Amino acid sequence: MDVKLPLCSLLTLLAVINGNGLNKMDMRIEQVHSASPHMHHHMDPTLVVFFFQEDLKVGNTIPIHFPSRDLNSVSARLLPKEEADSIPFSSHQLDHLLDLYSFPRGSPQATAMEDTLRQCETKPVKGETKTCPTSWDSMLDFATSILGSSNEIRVLATTHITRASGVLQKYTITGIEEYPASKVVACHTMPYPYVVFYCHYQESQSRVFRVSLTGENGDRVEAVAVCHMDTSQWSPNHVSFKVLGVEPGFSPVCHFFPADNFVVVP
């Protein structure tokens, strides 16, 4: 298997992942962000990454929040598959897990662990296949089970050309490249004592783009964006619909990925 991600990008991705700990409460799946000119001025800036497909044009300017990651923070680490597989990963084992990591019940860390386990155990929506790999190898196993083991796979992640400022600002689109992928696996990092991925595949069509962006303050980002072409099976309460002011199935919904989330394509 050949993971088509430049070594420097892979190391950066893993470094960012390893710098994302339990205090990063904005990494819940329902907080995937938003970016739309239609958003309300009082909206939580961490929700700014959703946008409409028609917004994706060179020269267009849209507000986006790319969270900055403290790569030097002491937090979650990526475990080898053997070690990760030896640790229970179940809400039924929560009390044991809290004792294992010495987290008091009701603490922010305990709440984050419980929330991650709950989301990982929630049934997928119609047409969705999901899992929560607890190691890089397990993530690759899931991705190849969807994309086909005979395929070379490519891991695409957002990269910051300049140091991320972490501020909500307007970005101008300076370039767009589409990856012609028939299937897409998206993975999001979750708050947990060690790195856990929330990975899912939706049977409905998705389009994957790499978008070159320049911020008002000079920030330059090569961002991964995914447009979901059919949202008719999504929950009406999904945050994207609140941000964009639309209903399920109304139009494609697109969103940018923060630096420690990624997509896997053939």
Side-chain angles (χ1 to χ4, degrees):
M1 182 192 307
D2 182 12
V3 179
K4 294 290 189 177
L5 184 70
L7 179 59
C8 59
S9 298
L10 177 57
L11 293 177
T12 299
L13 173 64
L14 295 181
V16 173
I17 288 172
N18 285 334
N20 181 31
L22 283 170
N23 59 333
K24 302 295 185 181
M25 301 301 290
D26 61 342
M27 287 313 302
R28 303 161 106 182
I29 291 301
E30 63 263 28
Q31 291 180 323
V32 169
H33 318 299
S34 78
S36 167
H38 314 285
M39 72 176 186
H40 301 295
H41 69 278
H42 59 272
M43 181 170 292
D44 182 347
T46 65
L47 292 176
V48 185
V49 295
F50 287 110
F51 61 97
F52 291 113
Q53 184 174 283
E54 54 264 33
D55 295 330
L56 201 59
K57 298 177 182 178
V58 172
N60 200 17
T61 299
I62 52 179
I64 314 170
H65 177 262
F66 286 110
S68 59
R69 305 300 185 195
D70 182 6
L71 303 185
N72 297 315
S73 64
V74 179
S75 54
R77 66 188 182 98
L78 194 64
L79 298 183
K81 186 177 188 304
E82 295 77 12
E83 182 179 352
D85 289 348
S86 70
I87 304 173
F89 188 78
S90 168
S91 57
H92 297 298
Q93 297 284 332
L94 182 59
D95 288 337
H96 166 69
L97 292 168
L98 294 180
D99 288 341
L100 180 64
Y101 292 104
S102 301
F103 293 148
R105 265 227 178 249
S107 65
Q109 296 90 341
T111 301
M113 287 182 67
E114 185 174 14
D115 189 56
T116 289
L117 291 168
R118 175 186 60 81
Q119 292 188 54
C120 288
E121 293 171 354
T122 299
K123 291 183 178 180
V125 300
K126 183 179 178 181
E128 180 187 43
T129 304
K130 55 173 273 193
T131 189
C132 283
T134 55
S135 69
W136 187 259
D137 286 340
S138 295
M139 183 281 296
L140 292 176
D141 289 343
F142 174 72
T144 55
S145 73
I146 298 295
L147 304 177
S149 58
S150 62
N151 289 320
E152 292 183 343
I153 62 174
R154 175 172 292 180
V155 180
L156 306 176
T158 292
T159 57
H160 291 268
I161 308 303
T162 57
R163 184 172 180 82
S165 61
V167 299
L168 171 62
Q169 61 177 311
K170 291 181 179 179
Y171 285 84
T172 299
I173 299 174
T174 59
I176 302 170
E177 177 186 0
E178 181 172 4
Y179 289 90
S182 57
K183 294 182 178 181
V184 178
V185 174
C187 294
H188 315 268
T189 55
M190 303 292 286
Y192 212 69
Y194 55 90
V195 173
V196 170
F197 303 107
Y198 181 107
C199 296
H200 59 129
Y201 159 73
Q202 293 176 322
E203 294 177 0
S204 58
Q205 181 188 3
S206 297
R207 301 177 67 184
V208 181
F209 302 88
R210 182 172 293 280
V211 185
S212 300
L213 300 162
T214 300
E216 291 177 292
N217 67 355
D219 281 357
R220 293 172 56 215
V221 184
E222 292 292 322
V224 171
V226 172
C227 291
H228 302 280
M229 307 308 291
D230 180 8
T231 61
S232 58
Q233 300 299 322
W234 292 18
S235 167
N237 296 321
H238 194 280
V239 66
S240 62
F241 302 133
K242 300 179 185 298
V243 170
L244 299 176
V246 296
E247 297 179 352
F250 176 81
S251 68
V253 168
C254 306
H255 64 88
F256 289 104
F257 277 62
D260 58 351
N261 290 202
F262 54 92
V263 298
V264 188
V265 297

